[in-house]
Each structure stands twice: as C-alpha cells, then as structure tokens.
Amino acid sequence: GELKPWLRPCDRWVCTPCCNWRVETEITPEIVKAIEWARRKNQTLKFYTFTWKAEDEAAGTTQDAAVRRRKDVAHFVQQLRRENGRDSFEYLRVTENHKSGKIHLHMLVSAPYLPQAELSEQWVKNTRGAHRVNVTSVGMKCPNCWPGKKATQAEKNKHMIVPFPGKG
C-alpha cells in the first residue's frame, strides 16, 4: 500500500520529467561503471568532444546525418584500435545540439594516453576535414576551492580533482 506508481508519459528526451528519469536510471549508472572500469584498467577516464564542419552532412539533424556520424565514429575508433591494440579504446557516446542547431559528439573514453594532436589528425582524416578533437580528464569539483559558475574554464580546470589511475 506504500508504493505509488509513477508513469512516464512519453519516454522522450525532450520531456523534462522523462529526461531526468532517463539520466538518473540510464546514463548515470553507465558513467559510474565507466569510472570504475577505467580505474581497474589503471587509466584515467577522458572526456572527448568531436565536432564537424557546419556544412558537413554529419553536423545535421536528419536520419542520414545520424548514419554518417555513426560511420565517422566507427572508422575513427577502428583506426585507433588497429594502431593501439584491439581493447585499447572503449567509450560511451552522446550526441548534443549546438546553439546553432548543428550536432556535436561527446565521449567518455577509457584508453591509454593518446596525444590530442594525433587524435585531431585522425579525426580530420575520417571526417572530411572536420574540426579538432577536444580532450579533457574526467574529474570532480574541489569542495574547498571551486571558483564558481562565472569563472573561466582555465580557472575551473585548476580546481578540478582528477582521480589517479588505479587504486590509491
């Protein structure tokens, strides 16, 4: 008699209650698993951001653009795995809209260190001259010295706690 059913009316990402529920039940557990898995592999979890040129088909919001994005990412990952070992690049990806309406891609990646310039070069080759890849380490806000929302990204990065790979 204490249970109250909660119905998700549409299960769509654009619906705020459904989106919040899906983030809590689908995405957050996957991120926690990714952090734990990277630690077991003695690696730091990384956050990659991939973009395409605005005029590129893959930057659009159509079904054909989604297929093109999947192929671009598949070719990129396949090339990295060939060069660095079969199990060397594991990821969780999410697409997001720019303010302009174009699409970009975020990935949580468990992989050995790869120079950002090398990743960008490979991305440009696989995506018809797209923009570079942005790479950052996944970390937590320092509870003692976090500068706040209005600080620059460089200032925030100085106050980020990045977990050391492995145990410790």
Side-chain angles (χ1 to χ4, degrees), residues 102-164:
K102 300 296 180 183
I103 300 289
H104 64 272
L105 180 74
H106 295 295
M107 275 189 189
L108 283 177
V109 176
S110 175
Y113 173 76
L114 298 167
Q116 189 266 341
E118 183 181 312
L119 290 168
S120 291
E121 183 180 317
Q122 189 64 41
W123 182 244
V124 168
K125 285 181 190 175
N126 284 304
T127 57
R128 302 154 308 282
H131 298 292
R132 67 184 175 90
V133 177
N134 185 21
V135 180
T136 56
S137 294
V138 174
M140 303 166 282
K141 300 174 184 177
C142 178
N144 298 325
C145 63
W146 187 249
K149 289 182 179 180
K150 296 186 181 190
T152 65
Q153 189 60 46
E155 187 66 24
K156 289 177 183 179
N157 289 344
K158 290 178 187 176
H159 300 279
M160 186 74 68
I161 301 169
V162 178
F164 188 75

Short mmCIF file of all heavy atoms in Angstrom, two decimals, residues 102-164:
data_model
loop_
_atom_site.label_atom_id
_atom_site.label_comp_id
_atom_site.label_asym_id
_atom_site.label_seq_id
_atom_site.Cartn_x
_atom_site.Cartn_y
_atom_site.Cartn_z
N LYS A 102 23.34 22.65 -35.00
CA LYS A 102 24.21 21.59 -35.53
C LYS A 102 24.56 20.62 -34.40
O LYS A 102 24.45 20.93 -33.23
CB LYS A 102 25.48 22.19 -36.14
CG LYS A 102 25.22 23.14 -37.28
CD LYS A 102 24.57 22.42 -38.44
CE LYS A 102 24.31 23.35 -39.59
NZ LYS A 102 23.62 22.72 -40.69
N ILE A 103 25.02 19.44 -34.78
CA ILE A 103 25.30 18.37 -33.83
C ILE A 103 26.79 18.26 -33.54
O ILE A 103 27.62 18.46 -34.42
CB ILE A 103 24.81 17.02 -34.40
CG1 ILE A 103 23.31 17.05 -34.68
CG2 ILE A 103 25.18 15.85 -33.51
CD1 ILE A 103 22.43 17.05 -33.46
N HIS A 104 27.13 17.98 -32.28
CA HIS A 104 28.49 17.56 -31.93
C HIS A 104 28.37 16.35 -31.02
O HIS A 104 27.29 15.96 -30.62
CB HIS A 104 29.30 18.70 -31.29
CG HIS A 104 28.78 19.19 -30.00
ND1 HIS A 104 27.84 20.18 -29.89
CD2 HIS A 104 29.08 18.83 -28.74
CE1 HIS A 104 27.57 20.41 -28.62
NE2 HIS A 104 28.31 19.60 -27.89
N LEU A 105 29.50 15.73 -30.74
CA LEU A 105 29.50 14.45 -30.06
C LEU A 105 30.40 14.50 -28.83
O LEU A 105 31.49 15.05 -28.88
CB LEU A 105 30.04 13.39 -31.04
CG LEU A 105 30.15 11.97 -30.57
CD1 LEU A 105 28.76 11.35 -30.48
CD2 LEU A 105 30.99 11.18 -31.56
N HIS A 106 29.92 13.92 -27.72
CA HIS A 106 30.72 13.79 -26.51
C HIS A 106 30.97 12.31 -26.26
O HIS A 106 30.09 11.48 -26.50
CB HIS A 106 29.98 14.36 -25.29
CG HIS A 106 29.75 15.83 -25.36
ND1 HIS A 106 30.78 16.74 -25.34
CD2 HIS A 106 28.61 16.55 -25.45
CE1 HIS A 106 30.27 17.96 -25.40
NE2 HIS A 106 28.96 17.86 -25.47
N MET A 107 32.17 12.00 -25.77
CA MET A 107 32.51 10.61 -25.43
C MET A 107 33.22 10.56 -24.11
O MET A 107 34.08 11.39 -23.83
CB MET A 107 33.47 10.02 -26.47
CG MET A 107 32.87 9.45 -27.67
SD MET A 107 34.19 8.60 -28.57
CE MET A 107 33.36 8.23 -30.06
N LEU A 108 32.87 9.58 -23.28
CA LEU A 108 33.68 9.19 -22.14
C LEU A 108 34.53 8.03 -22.64
O LEU A 108 34.00 7.05 -23.15
CB LEU A 108 32.83 8.74 -20.97
CG LEU A 108 32.15 9.83 -20.17
CD1 LEU A 108 31.28 9.21 -19.08
CD2 LEU A 108 33.15 10.76 -19.56
N VAL A 109 35.86 8.16 -22.50
CA VAL A 109 36.77 7.21 -23.12
C VAL A 109 37.71 6.61 -22.08
O VAL A 109 38.30 7.34 -21.28
CB VAL A 109 37.59 7.89 -24.23
CG1 VAL A 109 38.61 6.94 -24.82
CG2 VAL A 109 36.68 8.44 -25.31
N SER A 110 37.84 5.30 -22.13
CA SER A 110 38.87 4.60 -21.37
C SER A 110 39.89 4.12 -22.40
O SER A 110 39.60 3.22 -23.19
CB SER A 110 38.27 3.43 -20.61
OG SER A 110 39.29 2.71 -19.96
N ALA A 111 41.05 4.75 -22.39
CA ALA A 111 42.10 4.43 -23.37
C ALA A 111 43.43 4.88 -22.80
O ALA A 111 43.49 5.77 -21.95
CB ALA A 111 41.84 5.14 -24.69
N PRO A 112 44.52 4.29 -23.29
CA PRO A 112 45.82 4.80 -22.88
C PRO A 112 46.01 6.23 -23.40
O PRO A 112 45.24 6.68 -24.25
CB PRO A 112 46.82 3.84 -23.52
CG PRO A 112 46.06 2.99 -24.45
CD PRO A 112 44.60 3.17 -24.18
N TYR A 113 47.03 6.89 -22.91
CA TYR A 113 47.28 8.27 -23.32
C TYR A 113 47.51 8.33 -24.83
O TYR A 113 48.32 7.60 -25.38
CB TYR A 113 48.51 8.83 -22.59
CG TYR A 113 48.91 10.19 -23.12
CD1 TYR A 113 48.18 11.31 -22.78
CD2 TYR A 113 49.99 10.33 -23.98
CE1 TYR A 113 48.53 12.55 -23.28
CE2 TYR A 113 50.35 11.56 -24.48
CZ TYR A 113 49.61 12.68 -24.12
OH TYR A 113 49.95 13.90 -24.63
N LEU A 114 46.77 9.20 -25.49
CA LEU A 114 46.95 9.48 -26.90
C LEU A 114 47.05 10.99 -27.04
O LEU A 114 46.17 11.72 -26.56
CB LEU A 114 45.78 8.96 -27.72
CG LEU A 114 45.55 7.44 -27.68
CD1 LEU A 114 44.18 7.09 -28.25
CD2 LEU A 114 46.64 6.73 -28.44
N PRO A 115 48.09 11.51 -27.68
CA PRO A 115 48.23 12.97 -27.82
C PRO A 115 47.03 13.57 -28.55
O PRO A 115 46.53 13.01 -29.52
CB PRO A 115 49.51 13.14 -28.64
CG PRO A 115 50.24 11.85 -28.49
CD PRO A 115 49.20 10.80 -28.28
N GLN A 116 46.60 14.73 -28.07
CA GLN A 116 45.44 15.41 -28.65
C GLN A 116 45.69 15.72 -30.13
O GLN A 116 44.78 15.59 -30.95
CB GLN A 116 45.14 16.68 -27.86
CG GLN A 116 43.85 17.36 -28.22
CD GLN A 116 44.01 18.46 -29.26
OE1 GLN A 116 45.10 18.96 -29.47
NE2 GLN A 116 42.93 18.81 -29.90
N ALA A 117 46.90 16.09 -30.49
CA ALA A 117 47.21 16.40 -31.89
C ALA A 117 47.03 15.17 -32.78
O ALA A 117 46.50 15.26 -33.89
CB ALA A 117 48.63 16.94 -32.01
N GLU A 118 47.43 14.01 -32.27
CA GLU A 118 47.27 12.76 -33.01
C GLU A 118 45.79 12.42 -33.19
O GLU A 118 45.36 12.00 -34.27
CB GLU A 118 47.99 11.65 -32.27
CG GLU A 118 47.99 10.31 -32.95
CD GLU A 118 48.70 9.26 -32.12
OE1 GLU A 118 49.82 9.52 -31.64
OE2 GLU A 118 48.10 8.18 -31.95
N LEU A 119 45.01 12.57 -32.13
CA LEU A 119 43.57 12.31 -32.21
C LEU A 119 42.90 13.25 -33.20
O LEU A 119 42.07 12.82 -34.01
CB LEU A 119 42.92 12.47 -30.83
CG LEU A 119 43.26 11.41 -29.80
CD1 LEU A 119 42.78 11.85 -28.43
CD2 LEU A 119 42.64 10.09 -30.19
N SER A 120 43.26 14.53 -33.15
CA SER A 120 42.67 15.51 -34.06
C SER A 120 43.02 15.19 -35.51
O SER A 120 42.17 15.28 -36.40
CB SER A 120 43.15 16.92 -33.71
OG SER A 120 42.60 17.32 -32.49
N GLU A 121 44.26 14.81 -35.74
CA GLU A 121 44.69 14.47 -37.09
C GLU A 121 43.90 13.29 -37.63
O GLU A 121 43.43 13.30 -38.77
CB GLU A 121 46.18 14.13 -37.08
CG GLU A 121 46.77 13.82 -38.43
CD GLU A 121 48.25 13.50 -38.33
OE1 GLU A 121 48.97 14.19 -37.61
OE2 GLU A 121 48.66 12.52 -38.99
N GLN A 122 43.71 12.27 -36.80
CA GLN A 122 42.94 11.09 -37.20
C GLN A 122 41.48 11.47 -37.44
O GLN A 122 40.86 10.99 -38.38
CB GLN A 122 43.05 10.01 -36.13
CG GLN A 122 42.46 8.69 -36.54
CD GLN A 122 43.20 8.08 -37.71
OE1 GLN A 122 44.41 8.12 -37.78
NE2 GLN A 122 42.45 7.55 -38.64
N TRP A 123 40.92 12.32 -36.60
CA TRP A 123 39.53 12.75 -36.75
C TRP A 123 39.33 13.51 -38.05
O TRP A 123 38.36 13.29 -38.77
CB TRP A 123 39.12 13.59 -35.54
CG TRP A 123 37.69 14.03 -35.56
CD1 TRP A 123 37.23 15.31 -35.64
CD2 TRP A 123 36.52 13.20 -35.49
NE1 TRP A 123 35.87 15.32 -35.61
CE2 TRP A 123 35.40 14.05 -35.53
CE3 TRP A 123 36.32 11.83 -35.40
CZ2 TRP A 123 34.10 13.57 -35.48
CZ3 TRP A 123 35.02 11.35 -35.36
CH2 TRP A 123 33.93 12.22 -35.40
N VAL A 124 40.26 14.40 -38.37
CA VAL A 124 40.18 15.17 -39.62
C VAL A 124 40.20 14.23 -40.83
O VAL A 124 39.45 14.40 -41.78
CB VAL A 124 41.32 16.21 -39.69
CG1 VAL A 124 41.43 16.82 -41.07
CG2 VAL A 124 41.08 17.31 -38.65
N LYS A 125 41.06 13.21 -40.78
CA LYS A 125 41.14 12.24 -41.89
C LYS A 125 39.83 11.49 -42.08
O LYS A 125 39.42 11.23 -43.21
CB LYS A 125 42.25 11.22 -41.62
CG LYS A 125 43.64 11.73 -41.81
CD LYS A 125 44.62 10.60 -41.54
CE LYS A 125 46.03 11.10 -41.49
NZ LYS A 125 46.97 10.01 -41.12
N ASN A 126 39.19 11.12 -40.98
CA ASN A 126 37.98 10.31 -41.06
C ASN A 126 36.71 11.11 -41.29
O ASN A 126 35.66 10.53 -41.52
CB ASN A 126 37.82 9.49 -39.78
CG ASN A 126 38.75 8.30 -39.74
OD1 ASN A 126 38.74 7.48 -40.64
ND2 ASN A 126 39.57 8.25 -38.73
N THR A 127 36.78 12.43 -41.20
CA THR A 127 35.55 13.22 -41.27
C THR A 127 35.60 14.35 -42.28
O THR A 127 35.00 15.40 -42.07
CB THR A 127 35.21 13.80 -39.88
OG1 THR A 127 36.32 14.57 -39.44
CG2 THR A 127 34.89 12.71 -38.89
N ARG A 128 36.35 14.16 -43.33
CA ARG A 128 36.36 15.14 -44.43
C ARG A 128 36.78 16.52 -43.97
O ARG A 128 36.17 17.53 -44.31
CB ARG A 128 34.97 15.18 -45.10
CG ARG A 128 34.53 13.84 -45.63
CD ARG A 128 33.04 13.65 -45.73
NE ARG A 128 32.26 13.93 -44.54
CZ ARG A 128 32.15 13.12 -43.49
NH1 ARG A 128 32.76 11.97 -43.49
NH2 ARG A 128 31.43 13.44 -42.45
N GLY A 129 37.80 16.61 -43.14
CA GLY A 129 38.35 17.90 -42.71
C GLY A 129 37.62 18.55 -41.57
O GLY A 129 37.59 19.78 -41.46
N ALA A 130 37.03 17.78 -40.66
CA ALA A 130 36.29 18.34 -39.53
C ALA A 130 37.24 19.06 -38.57
O ALA A 130 38.45 19.04 -38.73
CB ALA A 130 35.55 17.23 -38.78
N HIS A 131 36.64 19.68 -37.55
CA HIS A 131 37.42 20.39 -36.55
C HIS A 131 38.17 19.42 -35.66
O HIS A 131 37.91 18.22 -35.65
CB HIS A 131 36.50 21.29 -35.71
CG HIS A 131 35.82 22.34 -36.53
ND1 HIS A 131 36.49 23.37 -37.11
CD2 HIS A 131 34.53 22.48 -36.87
CE1 HIS A 131 35.64 24.13 -37.78
NE2 HIS A 131 34.43 23.60 -37.65
N ARG A 132 39.03 19.96 -34.81
CA ARG A 132 39.85 19.13 -33.94
C ARG A 132 39.03 18.49 -32.82
O ARG A 132 37.89 18.86 -32.57
CB ARG A 132 40.98 19.97 -33.35
CG ARG A 132 40.51 21.03 -32.39
CD ARG A 132 41.68 21.88 -31.91
NE ARG A 132 41.21 22.96 -31.08
CZ ARG A 132 41.07 22.88 -29.78
NH1 ARG A 132 41.37 21.78 -29.14
NH2 ARG A 132 40.63 23.90 -29.08
N VAL A 133 39.66 17.57 -32.15
CA VAL A 133 39.06 16.89 -31.00
C VAL A 133 39.50 17.62 -29.74
O VAL A 133 40.68 17.93 -29.58
CB VAL A 133 39.54 15.42 -30.94
CG1 VAL A 133 38.98 14.72 -29.72
CG2 VAL A 133 39.17 14.68 -32.21
N ASN A 134 38.58 17.88 -28.83
CA ASN A 134 38.92 18.47 -27.54
C ASN A 134 38.98 17.34 -26.52
O ASN A 134 38.08 16.53 -26.44
CB ASN A 134 37.86 19.50 -27.14
CG ASN A 134 38.21 20.23 -25.88
OD1 ASN A 134 39.37 20.29 -25.50
ND2 ASN A 134 37.22 20.78 -25.22
N VAL A 135 40.08 17.28 -25.74
CA VAL A 135 40.29 16.21 -24.78
C VAL A 135 40.49 16.80 -23.38
O VAL A 135 41.31 17.70 -23.21
CB VAL A 135 41.53 15.37 -25.15
CG1 VAL A 135 41.74 14.25 -24.14
CG2 VAL A 135 41.43 14.83 -26.55
N THR A 136 39.75 16.30 -22.40
CA THR A 136 39.96 16.68 -21.00
C THR A 136 39.84 15.43 -20.14
O THR A 136 39.25 14.44 -20.54
CB THR A 136 38.93 17.72 -20.52
OG1 THR A 136 37.62 17.19 -20.72
CG2 THR A 136 39.05 19.04 -21.26
N SER A 137 40.41 15.48 -18.95
CA SER A 137 40.27 14.38 -18.00
C SER A 137 38.97 14.55 -17.24
O SER A 137 38.53 15.67 -16.97
CB SER A 137 41.43 14.39 -17.00
OG SER A 137 42.63 14.12 -17.65
N VAL A 138 38.36 13.45 -16.89
CA VAL A 138 37.15 13.49 -16.08
C VAL A 138 37.56 13.69 -14.64
O VAL A 138 38.43 13.00 -14.12
CB VAL A 138 36.34 12.19 -16.24
CG1 VAL A 138 35.15 12.17 -15.30
CG2 VAL A 138 35.89 12.03 -17.68
N GLY A 139 36.99 14.68 -14.00
CA GLY A 139 37.33 14.97 -12.61
C GLY A 139 36.15 15.49 -11.83
O GLY A 139 35.03 15.53 -12.34
N MET A 140 36.42 15.90 -10.60
CA MET A 140 35.38 16.40 -9.71
C MET A 140 35.74 17.81 -9.26
O MET A 140 36.92 18.16 -9.18
CB MET A 140 35.27 15.49 -8.49
CG MET A 140 34.99 14.05 -8.82
SD MET A 140 35.26 12.96 -7.42
CE MET A 140 37.03 12.82 -7.44
N LYS A 141 34.74 18.58 -8.94
CA LYS A 141 34.96 19.92 -8.41
C LYS A 141 35.56 19.81 -7.01
O LYS A 141 35.08 19.03 -6.19
CB LYS A 141 33.64 20.68 -8.31
CG LYS A 141 32.92 20.87 -9.61
CD LYS A 141 31.55 21.50 -9.36
CE LYS A 141 30.76 21.62 -10.63
NZ LYS A 141 29.42 22.15 -10.39
N CYS A 142 36.59 20.59 -6.75
CA CYS A 142 37.16 20.61 -5.41
C CYS A 142 36.17 21.30 -4.46
O CYS A 142 35.77 22.44 -4.70
CB CYS A 142 38.49 21.34 -5.39
SG CYS A 142 39.21 21.44 -3.73
N PRO A 143 35.75 20.64 -3.38
CA PRO A 143 34.76 21.24 -2.48
C PRO A 143 35.31 22.43 -1.70
O PRO A 143 34.54 23.25 -1.20
CB PRO A 143 34.38 20.09 -1.54
CG PRO A 143 35.52 19.14 -1.60
CD PRO A 143 36.14 19.29 -2.96
N ASN A 144 36.64 22.56 -1.60
CA ASN A 144 37.24 23.62 -0.81
C ASN A 144 37.54 24.88 -1.59
O ASN A 144 37.53 25.98 -1.04
CB ASN A 144 38.53 23.12 -0.15
CG ASN A 144 38.27 21.97 0.79
OD1 ASN A 144 37.25 21.92 1.45
ND2 ASN A 144 39.17 21.02 0.81
N CYS A 145 37.86 24.74 -2.89
CA CYS A 145 38.33 25.92 -3.62
C CYS A 145 37.68 26.11 -4.99
O CYS A 145 38.23 26.80 -5.85
CB CYS A 145 39.85 25.85 -3.78
SG CYS A 145 40.41 24.44 -4.74
N TRP A 146 36.52 25.52 -5.23
CA TRP A 146 35.87 25.66 -6.54
C TRP A 146 35.52 27.12 -6.78
O TRP A 146 34.87 27.76 -5.95
CB TRP A 146 34.62 24.79 -6.60
CG TRP A 146 34.00 24.76 -7.96
CD1 TRP A 146 32.82 25.31 -8.34
CD2 TRP A 146 34.53 24.14 -9.14
NE1 TRP A 146 32.58 25.08 -9.66
CE2 TRP A 146 33.62 24.37 -10.19
CE3 TRP A 146 35.70 23.44 -9.41
CZ2 TRP A 146 33.83 23.92 -11.48
CZ3 TRP A 146 35.91 22.98 -10.70
CH2 TRP A 146 34.98 23.21 -11.72
N PRO A 147 35.93 27.71 -7.94
CA PRO A 147 35.77 29.14 -8.16
C PRO A 147 34.34 29.60 -8.49
O PRO A 147 34.06 30.78 -8.43
CB PRO A 147 36.71 29.43 -9.33
CG PRO A 147 36.80 28.15 -10.06
CD PRO A 147 36.68 27.06 -9.02
N GLY A 148 33.44 28.70 -8.85
CA GLY A 148 32.06 29.09 -9.13
C GLY A 148 31.75 29.12 -10.61
O GLY A 148 32.62 28.98 -11.47
N LYS A 149 30.46 29.35 -10.91
CA LYS A 149 29.96 29.29 -12.29
C LYS A 149 30.56 30.34 -13.21
O LYS A 149 30.74 30.11 -14.39
CB LYS A 149 28.44 29.45 -12.31
CG LYS A 149 27.68 28.28 -11.77
CD LYS A 149 26.19 28.53 -11.89
CE LYS A 149 25.40 27.35 -11.38
NZ LYS A 149 23.96 27.54 -11.50
N LYS A 150 30.86 31.51 -12.68
CA LYS A 150 31.29 32.62 -13.53
C LYS A 150 32.78 32.61 -13.85
O LYS A 150 33.26 33.43 -14.61
CB LYS A 150 30.89 33.95 -12.89
CG LYS A 150 29.38 34.08 -12.79
CD LYS A 150 28.96 35.43 -12.31
CE LYS A 150 27.44 35.45 -12.23
NZ LYS A 150 26.90 36.74 -11.99
N ALA A 151 33.53 31.65 -13.30
CA ALA A 151 34.96 31.57 -13.55
C ALA A 151 35.22 31.07 -14.96
O ALA A 151 34.38 30.41 -15.58
CB ALA A 151 35.61 30.63 -12.54
N THR A 152 36.41 31.37 -15.48
CA THR A 152 36.79 30.88 -16.80
C THR A 152 37.05 29.38 -16.74
O THR A 152 37.29 28.83 -15.66
CB THR A 152 38.06 31.59 -17.30
OG1 THR A 152 39.15 31.23 -16.43
CG2 THR A 152 37.89 33.10 -17.33
N GLN A 153 37.05 28.73 -17.90
CA GLN A 153 37.30 27.30 -17.94
C GLN A 153 38.71 26.98 -17.44
O GLN A 153 38.92 25.99 -16.75
CB GLN A 153 37.10 26.74 -19.36
CG GLN A 153 37.13 25.23 -19.41
CD GLN A 153 36.07 24.57 -18.56
OE1 GLN A 153 34.90 24.97 -18.58
NE2 GLN A 153 36.45 23.57 -17.79
N ALA A 154 39.67 27.83 -17.77
CA ALA A 154 41.05 27.62 -17.31
C ALA A 154 41.12 27.66 -15.79
O ALA A 154 41.81 26.84 -15.16
CB ALA A 154 41.98 28.66 -17.92
N GLU A 155 40.41 28.59 -15.17
CA GLU A 155 40.38 28.69 -13.71
C GLU A 155 39.71 27.46 -13.09
O GLU A 155 40.17 26.93 -12.09
CB GLU A 155 39.65 29.97 -13.29
CG GLU A 155 39.70 30.26 -11.82
CD GLU A 155 41.09 30.57 -11.29
OE1 GLU A 155 41.96 31.01 -12.07
OE2 GLU A 155 41.30 30.35 -10.09
N LYS A 156 38.62 27.01 -13.70
CA LYS A 156 37.94 25.81 -13.20
C LYS A 156 38.85 24.60 -13.30
O LYS A 156 38.87 23.76 -12.39
CB LYS A 156 36.65 25.57 -13.98
CG LYS A 156 35.56 26.58 -13.70
CD LYS A 156 34.35 26.31 -14.56
CE LYS A 156 33.27 27.35 -14.34
NZ LYS A 156 32.10 27.12 -15.20
N ASN A 157 39.61 24.48 -14.41
CA ASN A 157 40.50 23.33 -14.58
C ASN A 157 41.56 23.26 -13.49
O ASN A 157 41.98 22.18 -13.09
CB ASN A 157 41.17 23.38 -15.96
CG ASN A 157 40.20 23.08 -17.08
OD1 ASN A 157 39.11 22.57 -16.86
ND2 ASN A 157 40.58 23.42 -18.29
N LYS A 158 41.99 24.42 -12.99
CA LYS A 158 42.99 24.44 -11.91
C LYS A 158 42.44 23.87 -10.61
O LYS A 158 43.20 23.42 -9.76
CB LYS A 158 43.46 25.88 -11.66
CG LYS A 158 44.31 26.46 -12.76
CD LYS A 158 44.68 27.89 -12.42
CE LYS A 158 45.38 28.56 -13.57
NZ LYS A 158 45.66 29.98 -13.28
N HIS A 159 41.12 23.91 -10.44
CA HIS A 159 40.49 23.47 -9.20
C HIS A 159 39.71 22.17 -9.37
O HIS A 159 38.76 21.90 -8.65
CB HIS A 159 39.57 24.57 -8.67
CG HIS A 159 40.30 25.84 -8.39
ND1 HIS A 159 41.01 26.04 -7.24
CD2 HIS A 159 40.47 26.96 -9.14
CE1 HIS A 159 41.58 27.23 -7.27
NE2 HIS A 159 41.27 27.80 -8.42
N MET A 160 40.12 21.37 -10.35
CA MET A 160 39.49 20.09 -10.64
C MET A 160 40.33 18.97 -10.03
O MET A 160 41.55 18.99 -10.13
CB MET A 160 39.40 19.90 -12.16
CG MET A 160 38.64 18.68 -12.59
SD MET A 160 36.85 18.80 -12.40
CE MET A 160 36.43 20.03 -13.61
N ILE A 161 39.68 18.04 -9.37
CA ILE A 161 40.36 16.88 -8.81
C ILE A 161 40.21 15.74 -9.81
O ILE A 161 39.10 15.30 -10.09
CB ILE A 161 39.75 16.46 -7.46
CG1 ILE A 161 39.83 17.60 -6.46
CG2 ILE A 161 40.41 15.20 -6.94
CD1 ILE A 161 39.02 17.37 -5.20
N VAL A 162 41.32 15.30 -10.38
CA VAL A 162 41.32 14.21 -11.34
C VAL A 162 41.79 12.95 -10.63
O VAL A 162 42.90 12.92 -10.12
CB VAL A 162 42.22 14.52 -12.55
CG1 VAL A 162 42.25 13.34 -13.52
CG2 VAL A 162 41.75 15.78 -13.25
N PRO A 163 40.94 11.91 -10.57
CA PRO A 163 41.35 10.69 -9.86
C PRO A 163 42.59 10.07 -10.51
O PRO A 163 42.67 9.98 -11.72
CB PRO A 163 40.15 9.76 -10.01
CG PRO A 163 39.02 10.61 -10.46
CD PRO A 163 39.60 11.81 -11.11
N PHE A 164 43.50 9.66 -9.69
CA PHE A 164 44.72 8.98 -10.16
C PHE A 164 44.32 7.62 -10.70
O PHE A 164 43.47 6.95 -10.11
CB PHE A 164 45.71 8.84 -9.01
CG PHE A 164 47.05 8.34 -9.46
CD1 PHE A 164 47.92 9.18 -10.12
CD2 PHE A 164 47.43 7.04 -9.23
CE1 PHE A 164 49.16 8.73 -10.54
CE2 PHE A 164 48.64 6.58 -9.65
CZ PHE A 164 49.52 7.43 -10.30
#
